[in-house]
Amino acid sequence: MEDPIFSPPLHRQRHQFVIDFIKRNKPQKVLDLGCSECTLLKQLRFHREMELLVGLDIDGATLKKKMHGLAPMSTDYLQPSDDQLRIELYQGSVTQRDARLRGFDLVTSIELIEHLTLADVERFSEVVFGYMAPVAVIVSTPNFEFNILFPGKTGFRHYDHKFEWSRAEFKSWALKVCLDYGYEVEFTGVGEPPPGQQESVGFCSQIGVFHRLGGRAVCNMMFCDDAEDEFSYTLLYSKNYPSLHDNNILQRVLVTEVLSGAEKLRRKWAEETNGERDAADTQAEGDWEERHRASEQHLEMEEKQTDVFLLVEIPSSEVEISVNQMDCKTLQQAEQQRGFWRSIRKLRKKICFGLMAEDNRSLGKCVSVPLAVLWSGCPKVRALGGSLSNLRQLLMDHPGVTLSQDGSAVLLNDQEHEEEYDDLEDSGYAEARQCSHSVEPEEDWDANV
Ligand code: SAH
């Protein structure tokens, strides 16, 4: 009945009040009493500083129906938090003690106490302020004085309310709690009355914000007693949110970062190398044309059997190809010879481009990206890895990553040039490639035995 006259609706204003308090005070352990459909808890799980978020309600059926809405979402798995969040739901009564709910930073009780008998409110005070003894408590409850502004409404706002207090009644209860259990309280509320009526009727929902005198230090002292632990609530739900503190999750995120960082570097290097190589190729093409022409002249002049040695030069190695020329007397044979030169020229290009031997970054079909380069170039890898040796260890244990034998580099498949290698293999010059570079010296197991 109360919401239509408020915008945003009153229940949202109450929850927003709690959220604003949490943003200012950053409690790490929060307990919501009478959490009902878990609406407030669902909003609070987005607060990253939170470590433990717990709900308690006497109504187990509602909790069971709504608890799955607290499960992590796909984005929580894709971008796991740096922090550890655990959510728990208990079924039980605020009039009973349970040691698992002691020592929280904040306990909220939003529109709960009016559902208790006055005798139970006394027990609530003792359990919450005396036994749970959190650092702060937020209690909201209807302000009976405001009800005159609900036209045509008599009695309480909800059939299950056992009472609705005036501001004076609420204040008297709150001050007694402070005296009995060592808290101080500020009064406020949400749901503004019409202009000019604040003093006469007050807020629609009145709120007391309690702080323990002496703060966290006093709370900690309280829990040093050796009183026997009591457990009267039933745990219905508990979930650890995906966190980088979980080693498996950290490893998964780190591997993704490392592989994408390494891939970016591979592309960058390939672009750089292609640029340099295009320039070098233009020069080399000229040389080849000259040699080609010279050899053709040579063929025409020397109409006899001769051996021609062709030296294919690539940056850090040489592939020597011997061509045995037999009886190149006819035009047809000369044409064949010309075709051969052309394919040699093509082969040379492929060898240079594919192996990238001069900078040692690419070896055979693998591109080797040193971890130290990733470490210095990717802040996220640094943040996740912690240290270079830890990074190496995490990658070493992961099946999705291939490290070099000494563990100093990530090896990526050089997909960009794989087709060219395949062409080379088809053209029968695979040996030339193999003799130039082997990717990683294969361990000779037989020799070790
Ligand atoms: N806090 C919620 C809902 C309040 S309705 C919100 O802000 O929307 C009151 C809730 O208190 C109900 O879910 C009811 O089941 C719960 N409740 C009533 N008596 C209780 C008790 N003794 N112990 C715990 N929860 C209780």
Side-chain angles (χ1 to χ4, degrees), residues 14-15 32-36 39 56-59 92-95 110-112 115-116 160:
R14 288 191 290 258
H15 290 176
D32 185 29
L33 301 174
C35 62
S36 187
T39 321
L56 171 71
D57 204 290
I58 201 164
D59 180 355
S93 172
V94 288
T95 56
I110 306 301
E111 306 295 279
L112 163 65
H115 292 268
L116 307 177
D160 190 47

Side-chain angles (χ1 to χ4, degrees), residues 307-368:
D307 280 352
V308 176
F309 281 92
L310 167 66
L311 204 63
V312 181
E313 287 176 358
I314 60 171
S316 66
S317 75
E318 293 178 345
V319 181
E320 212 170 67
I321 297 166
S322 165
V323 184
N324 191 3
Q325 285 184 207
M326 310 271 290
D327 290 326
C328 294
K329 286 175 190 164
T330 64
L331 187 62
Q332 194 193 3
Q333 281 170 319
E335 275 306 310
Q336 278 171 357
Q337 190 60 37
R338 205 172 278 127
F340 170 78
W341 285 111
R342 240 178 264 125
S343 64
I344 288 296
R345 195 159 57 232
K346 221 169 140 198
L347 168 66
R348 177 198 162 270
K349 254 185 160 177
K350 284 175 177 174
I351 289 171
C352 288
F353 192 72
L355 295 180
M356 290 192 257
E358 80 280 19
D359 57 14
N360 236 355
R361 286 165 185 164
S362 173
L363 302 167
K365 285 188 182 181
C366 287
V367 177
S368 163

Side-chain angles (χ1 to χ4, degrees), residues 11-12 14-15 32-40 56-60 62-63 90-96 108-117 120 124 140 158 160-162 233:
H11 66 276
R12 286 225 193 110
R14 288 191 290 258
H15 290 176
D32 185 29
L33 301 174
C35 62
S36 187
E37 299 189 349
C38 309
T39 321
L40 179 58
L56 171 71
D57 204 290
I58 201 164
D59 180 355
T62 301
L63 291 182
Y90 292 90
Q91 189 257 319
S93 172
V94 288
T95 56
Q96 289 185 303
T108 57
S109 165
I110 306 301
E111 306 295 279
L112 163 65
I113 55 171
E114 64 276 10
H115 292 268
L116 307 177
T117 62
D120 277 347
F124 167 92
S140 92
H158 189 274
D160 190 47
H161 286 181
K162 309 296 184 299
Y233 306 152

Side-chain angles (χ1 to χ4, degrees), residues 2-160:
E2 58 193 21
D3 278 351
I5 65 167
F6 291 105
S7 177
L10 196 58
H11 66 276
R12 286 225 193 110
Q13 291 192 37
R14 288 191 290 258
H15 290 176
Q16 192 56 47
F17 182 89
V18 173
I19 290 166
D20 292 342
F21 179 93
I22 286 175
K23 281 185 183 157
R24 285 194 308 274
N25 294 278
K26 306 195 187 324
Q28 293 178 329
K29 292 163 106 190
V30 175
L31 165 61
D32 185 29
L33 301 174
C35 62
S36 187
E37 299 189 349
C38 309
T39 321
L40 179 58
L41 294 174
K42 276 186 207 160
Q43 288 174 274
L44 297 187
R45 72 194 154 141
F46 298 118
H47 290 267
R48 293 248 146 175
E49 294 90 2
M50 203 80 75
E51 275 177 18
L52 182 59
L53 202 46
V54 177
L56 171 71
D57 204 290
I58 201 164
D59 180 355
T62 301
L63 291 182
K64 281 182 188 163
K65 211 159 93 186
K66 298 289 178 178
M67 64 190 187
H68 302 291
L70 291 170
M73 295 181 280
S74 49
T75 47
D76 294 312
Y77 287 100
L78 290 171
Q79 285 180 318
S81 164
D82 284 340
D83 309 308
Q84 283 171 294
L85 170 64
R86 181 173 177 77
I87 299 187
E88 292 174 354
L89 287 182
Y90 292 90
Q91 189 257 319
S93 172
V94 288
T95 56
Q96 289 185 303
R97 297 169 162 210
D98 189 299
R100 290 168 290 188
L101 301 194
R102 301 186 86 189
F104 277 63
D105 299 309
L106 172 66
V107 169
T108 57
S109 165
I110 306 301
E111 306 295 279
L112 163 65
I113 55 171
E114 64 276 10
H115 292 268
L116 307 177
T117 62
L118 288 175
D120 277 347
V121 173
E122 284 305 299
R123 290 189 196 99
F124 167 92
S125 307
E126 193 279 322
V127 169
V128 175
F129 295 91
Y131 181 75
M132 292 178 178
V135 180
V137 185
I138 297 175
V139 177
S140 92
T141 191
N143 166 20
F144 185 70
E145 292 164 87
F146 194 98
N147 290 359
I148 55 161
L149 295 176
F150 294 124
K153 183 74 190 167
T154 53
F156 295 147
R157 297 181 196 176
H158 189 274
Y159 73 93
D160 190 47

